[in-house]
Amino acid sequence: MAEMGMGKGVTAGKLASNVQKKLTRAQEKVMQKLGKADETRDVAFEEGVINFNKQYTEGSKLQKDLRVYLAAVQTMHESSKNLKECLSDMYEPDWYGKDDVDSIVEDTDVLWTDFHQKLVDNALISMDTYLGQFPDIKSRIAKRDRKLVDYDSARHNHLSTNKGKKGKDGGIKITKPVSLLERATPVWAQGILSAHNIAQSNLSRNQAEDELERAQKVFEEINEDLQEELPSLWNSRVGFYVSTFQSMAGFEEKFHKEMGKLDQNLYDVLVKLERQDMCGELPRGVSPANHTLSPGVPPPIPKSPSKLRPAMPPRPESSPCRDMKPENIINLFDAAAAPNISVTSPTQAISWDTWEADTPTAAAAAPTPTATAVEEIPAVATVATSGASEAVEMPPGFLFKVTTMHDYAANDSDELEMKAGDIVLVVAFDNPEEQDEGWLIGMKEGDWIQNKESAVKGVFPENFTSRL
């Protein structure tokens, strides 16, 4: 109980002392604001405090924005993960590159996790450590301000004590007795009373001097430490900003580089899946027939890994020439209206009967309709244009003309670059086995007219054009 009472007494005494200090500081500040007491100022230190507050504010804002950035990275991670997992779930097992897609999805998730963790370890934690020193310094600056007020108060008290105890001639001023007891004091005791008053004055001066020395010592200790720390802290901001943002830039560069590789791998897999789909190799229903796309919507580019020769058209079951002789054809017309047609003309159509060759010799002697048509088309084109002022010579192997419906950018050196509206002269492949399904070969009409044999020839997708 005694210890508890002593503890309460100490606490109460300390509380009273703190209250007395606050009252003394408040009184000193009021006197300084009223101009009745001078204030100790340190311009260099005040500038250091201004820089400190600015640095603390900027660092706090940077810390806040960094946390927002990391939260956004985490959100992007979750969004990317959900999107990639959705692709993986929809990707059917028999599609091309199923295992590659699953691996890319997993690697993407790991890359995002590693990127976020590195930002936390090397940027956020470093930022928290950097700002962790500011609250302590800020509290010491506030304590230094309080101790400065205590020092000014002690200094003013010391000055007033010494000033009040001295006379005009610089000697010690003795207060005359004013009380009845003092007046009743015998003359022989007046000296003792004066000596007592002098002793009290000396005691007050000594106490004021001790208080001033103690206040000055406390203030100078904390002031000297801050005078060294504030400039050093202010100069450290450059190195910290450089280190932080260099680390972040390096992590981002590596992250985007690795992510670019994964995206390219995914793109390549999807391109091959597209080719597989265009070739009809994916398990699905009946393949839709060739159709014409509406203008303005570029069609898919046909691609085929295998080079197949176009199928030969089926032979009709019966030939219109089998049971009809040449003279019967003439008899079908009236003698007056029938033209003079020679049945032995070189332009006579080849009968389907010529396809039925019983021996290799007969097959070699009879040319196929396709070969005859290809050879005769250039001549027909020349005749058709013979009525013009200048005949247009078509390129060797010319088949027909097409007009371009959509722009087509060449993806390879053997492909033909086309713009919507271009007229292209389609020619036969030198080797029919090189023709892929859905692709034609030819040259632009304007290029052929101007450059002839030097005209650029290349392949292009048939569904980007319309036959004239």
Side-chain angles (χ1 to χ4, degrees):
M1 295 297 291
E3 293 179 355
M4 184 179 295
M6 183 179 295
K8 288 183 178 180
V10 172
T11 303
K14 186 176 181 180
L15 178 62
S17 176
N18 291 335
V19 172
Q20 183 61 38
K21 288 182 179 180
K22 290 182 179 180
L23 292 175
T24 303
R25 291 166 184 163
Q27 181 181 1
E28 181 66 22
K29 289 182 178 180
V30 171
M31 297 295 291
Q32 291 176 353
K33 289 183 178 180
L34 294 177
K36 295 183 178 181
D38 62 321
E39 179 182 1
T40 302
R41 301 291 299 272
D42 188 343
V43 178
F45 182 83
E46 291 174 359
E47 291 180 355
V49 173
I50 293 175
N51 292 336
F52 170 82
N53 292 331
K54 178 182 178 182
Q55 186 177 2
Y56 192 15
T57 302
E58 292 175 349
S60 300
K61 184 179 184 302
L62 178 59
Q63 183 188 45
K64 179 181 178 181
D65 293 341
L66 181 58
R67 291 183 181 276
V68 173
Y69 174 76
L70 289 176
V73 171
Q74 185 67 28
T75 302
M76 279 296 300
H77 178 195
E78 294 296 331
S79 301
S80 174
K81 181 179 180 180
N82 294 336
L83 184 63
K84 292 296 193 300
E85 288 180 349
C86 180
L87 173 63
S88 179
D89 293 340
M90 295 186 300
Y91 213 94
E92 298 183 6
D94 51 359
W95 289 1
Y96 176 85
K98 169 61 176 175
D99 294 338
D100 294 336
V101 170
D102 293 340
S103 177
I104 292 173
V105 171
E106 182 179 356
D107 293 343
T108 301
D109 180 54
V110 172
L111 187 59
W112 273 107
T113 303
D114 181 67
F115 175 56
H116 182 268
Q117 189 61 43
K118 286 183 177 179
L119 290 177
V120 172
D121 295 340
N122 296 274
L124 183 60
I125 294 179
S126 178
M127 189 75 215
D128 294 342
T129 303
Y130 169 74
L131 288 180
Q133 56 188 334
F134 282 83
D136 176 66
I137 297 178
K138 184 177 181 179
S139 64
R140 289 162 59 195
I141 292 175
K143 183 178 181 181
R144 184 250 185 203
D145 293 341
R146 295 193 300 269
K147 296 305 178 182
L148 179 59
V149 175
D150 292 343
Y151 168 73
D152 286 341
S153 178
R155 180 168 56 85
H156 295 151
N157 182 42
H158 180 265
L159 292 176
S160 63
T161 300
N162 291 334
K163 182 178 180 181
K165 297 305 179 178
K166 291 184 178 181
K168 294 181 180 180
D169 56 354
I172 297 176
K173 181 180 179 181
I174 302 176
T175 306
K176 296 181 179 180
V178 293
S179 64
L180 294 176
L181 180 60
E182 291 175 343
R183 291 179 180 179
T185 303
V187 177
W188 59 268
Q190 290 294 330
I192 300 174
L193 183 59
S194 298
H196 174 72
N197 291 334
I198 293 173
Q200 290 293 331
S201 299
N202 291 335
L203 179 60
S204 298
R205 287 196 300 271
N206 292 335
Q207 289 178 347
E209 186 174 356
D210 292 341
E211 182 180 354
L212 176 61
E213 292 179 355
R214 185 168 54 252
Q216 182 178 2
K217 181 180 179 181
V218 173
F219 168 74
E220 289 181 349
E221 287 179 355
I222 189 172
N223 184 64
E224 290 177 359
D225 293 339
L226 291 175
Q227 291 280 10
E228 295 179 358
E229 292 183 25
L230 290 181
S232 177
L233 180 62
W234 173 251
N235 294 332
S236 68
R237 73 191 191 285
V238 177
F240 172 75
Y241 294 155
V242 170
S243 176
T244 301
F245 282 96
Q246 276 186 344
S247 299
M248 292 182 62
F251 296 144
E252 288 184 354
E253 179 185 12
K254 182 178 180 181
F255 168 77
H256 290 299
K257 183 177 180 180
E258 296 298 328
M259 186 62 71
K261 293 180 180 178
L262 293 177
D263 290 339
Q264 183 63 47
N265 293 340
L266 179 60
Y267 179 84
D268 294 340
V269 171
L270 295 179
V271 166
K272 294 180 180 179
L273 175 64
E274 180 188 20
R275 293 177 179 176
Q276 185 182 23
D277 178 61
M278 293 300 299
C279 296
E281 298 177 3
L282 293 179
R284 54 187 179 183
V286 179
S287 176
N290 189 21
H291 59 281
T292 302
L293 298 177
S294 60
V297 182
I301 301 175
K303 297 181 179 179
S304 175
S306 60
K307 299 179 179 179
L308 303 176
R309 187 173 183 176
M312 184 66 68
R315 174 185 178 279
E317 296 180 357
S318 61
S319 172
C321 303
R322 179 186 300 273
D323 302 324
M324 186 175 294
K325 297 181 179 180
E327 58 269 23
N328 292 335
I329 297 177
I330 299 177
N331 292 335
L332 292 175
F333 301 96
D334 188 0
N340 186 14
I341 300 177
S342 174
V343 296
T344 61
S345 171
T347 59
Q348 178 183 355
I350 298 177
S351 170
W352 283 101
D353 296 335
T354 59
W355 285 72
E356 295 181 352
D358 297 334
T359 64
T361 304
T368 62
T370 303
T372 304
V374 172
E375 293 175 358
E376 291 182 356
I377 284 177
V380 172
T382 303
V383 172
T385 58
S386 61
S389 59
E390 182 180 355
V392 178
E393 181 183 359
M394 292 301 174
F398 171 75
L399 297 177
F400 51 85
K401 293 183 181 181
V402 295
T403 181
T404 306
M405 305 299 295
H406 308 277
D407 293 347
Y408 177 71
N411 297 319
D412 205 345
S413 59
D414 63 341
E415 296 182 4
L416 184 65
E417 187 92 10
M418 301 187 302
K419 298 293 184 181
D422 287 346
I423 302 298
V424 181
L425 306 178
V426 181
V427 298
F429 279 83
D430 295 337
N431 184 1
E433 294 183 356
E434 295 180 355
Q435 182 177 7
D436 291 337
E437 182 180 0
W439 289 81
L440 300 175
I441 187 170
M443 62 201 70
K444 296 181 182 179
E445 183 179 43
D447 191 13
W448 163 256
I449 295 175
Q450 183 176 1
N451 300 315
K452 296 298 180 182
E453 299 298 336
S454 300
V456 178
K457 182 171 67 173
V459 297
F460 57 90
E462 182 180 5
N463 57 354
F464 271 60
T465 63
S466 177
R467 185 167 178 172
L468 295 179

